[in-house]
Amino acid sequence: MIRQITARLAVAFVLVIATSACATKSATLNPDVNDPYEAMNRKIFEFNRTFDRQIFKPISSAYQFVMPDPLEDGVSNAMRNLREPWVFVNDILQFKFKRALTTLTRFALNTTVGAAGLFRVSDGMGIPYHSEDLGQTLAAWGVKESPYFVIPFIGPSTNRDFVGFAGFFFFDPVTMTLDSEGLDGLALARNGTDALAARVQLHDALDQLYQEDDPYVVMRSLYLQNRRFQIYDGNPPADEAEEDFFDDLEDDVEAEDNANGGN
């Protein structure tokens, strides 16, 4: 049980960072955010950064070194595919039934034709990828954000996103299914692999983030802006300065997909 919790925390840590580290160079820094716990948050951020650099980065670097690029891409694709049931659940909870059908179709195609998700055949068929989580669902239901805070081992959050993280932690359909079947070892392997695959994709972005003059502020701005971008399905009401950030963010996501060869 302890090993499963540790592995899930690893996944959560990487996925939370993933929501805020994909476009460091184009962040619109906003010092006027609701961050009354900044002094404590900075200490936790430094702890998390040290943890990531000393633990996650060496492991993910070794993984990246020994894995051939096509296989590495395939594993990343498969891990994304296993998150699709959670996306589907949140599509339904937000009453986005057309998007839910798209998610279900994408999952079915990639799981079958795409060899358990190793190949993203849905991309080649013009079925776009989108991500949904419980934090976005709560936002759609009108739940407001609390002050920004940083969680040890996990990263940036708000009350809404923390509840969303807890929802994924306990109610992810894939993990629940594996647990119910007594396949604890497989669930553990899936969580660990997911963390590694996600961290590898963030290698350059995190290196760039940590080299910023004030990486805490950059991380905070990226996290809050990107969450807003996700909540509004890529079309947030934005002023002119923010529009540049979101345009660049979309370009970076497309560039990453193209780098993976659309697999």
Side-chain angles (χ1 to χ4, degrees):
M1 180 64 178
I2 293 176
R3 289 189 304 165
Q4 287 190 46
I5 291 175
T6 302
R8 292 188 200 182
L9 284 174
V11 174
F13 174 76
V14 174
L15 293 181
V16 167
I17 289 179
T19 67
S20 51
C22 52
T24 56
K25 64 185 178 183
S26 56
T28 303
L29 301 184
N30 179 12
D32 299 322
V33 298
N34 189 7
D35 187 7
Y37 314 120
E38 182 172 348
M40 178 186 68
N41 283 339
R42 283 183 176 274
K43 293 178 181 179
I44 299 174
F45 172 80
E46 288 301 323
F47 170 80
N48 286 348
R49 177 165 67 161
T50 300
F51 181 79
D52 177 62
R53 297 180 75 172
Q54 298 299 320
I55 305 298
F56 268 124
K57 184 176 180 179
I59 294 174
S60 65
S61 295
Y63 171 85
Q64 191 173 29
F65 178 77
V66 301
M67 289 283 282
D69 288 344
L71 183 56
E72 182 182 309
D73 291 341
V75 170
S76 177
N77 293 340
M79 292 302 102
R80 192 187 79 168
N81 192 56
L82 289 176
R83 291 194 293 272
E84 294 279 38
W86 186 239
V87 175
F88 175 78
V89 168
N90 284 281
D91 283 334
I92 295 295
L93 291 175
Q94 294 179 45
F95 307 108
K96 297 176 179 178
F97 301 117
K98 184 176 180 180
R99 284 167 69 91
L101 180 59
T102 298
T103 300
L104 185 60
T105 302
R106 187 173 59 235
F107 178 69
L109 283 171
N110 291 337
T111 301
T112 55
V113 182
L118 290 173
F119 302 97
R120 287 156 50 174
V121 296
S122 60
D123 290 4
M125 300 177 67
I127 303 175
Y129 174 76
H130 69 272
S131 179
E132 296 287 354
D133 56 50
L134 189 56
Q136 293 167 253
T137 296
L138 293 174
W141 290 353
V143 177
K144 303 299 182 182
E145 287 184 342
S146 72
Y148 176 81
F149 60 92
V150 183
I151 307 170
F153 298 107
I154 298 175
S157 189
T158 62
N159 64 338
R160 186 174 63 201
D161 287 341
F162 181 72
V163 172
F165 152 72
F168 174 77
F169 189 94
F170 291 107
F171 301 114
D172 168 51
V174 173
T175 302
M176 289 180 65
T177 299
L178 293 174
D179 288 346
S180 67
E181 295 296 324
L183 301 174
D184 296 349
L186 188 56
L188 181 65
R190 178 250 175 157
N191 289 332
T193 303
D194 201 1
L196 276 175
R199 180 57 178 80
V200 165
Q201 290 186 334
L202 297 171
H203 229 72
D204 293 339
L206 287 174
D207 283 345
Q208 182 178 347
L209 171 68
Y210 295 152
Q211 292 171 9
E212 295 286 345
D213 292 336
D214 192 343
Y216 172 81
V217 171
V218 175
M219 173 69 86
R220 181 182 64 188
S221 295
L222 283 167
Y223 180 79
L224 295 174
Q225 290 180 65
N226 198 26
R227 288 304 285 167
R228 187 164 178 256
F229 176 86
Q230 293 172 331
I231 288 166
Y232 285 96
D233 295 334
N235 296 293
D239 58 29
E240 183 176 352
E242 289 179 320
E243 285 174 358
D244 291 337
F245 167 77
F246 292 118
D247 288 343
D248 288 343
L249 182 58
E250 288 182 304
D251 292 341
D252 285 354
V253 171
E254 291 177 0
E256 181 181 337
D257 285 344
N258 291 334
N260 287 337
N263 291 330

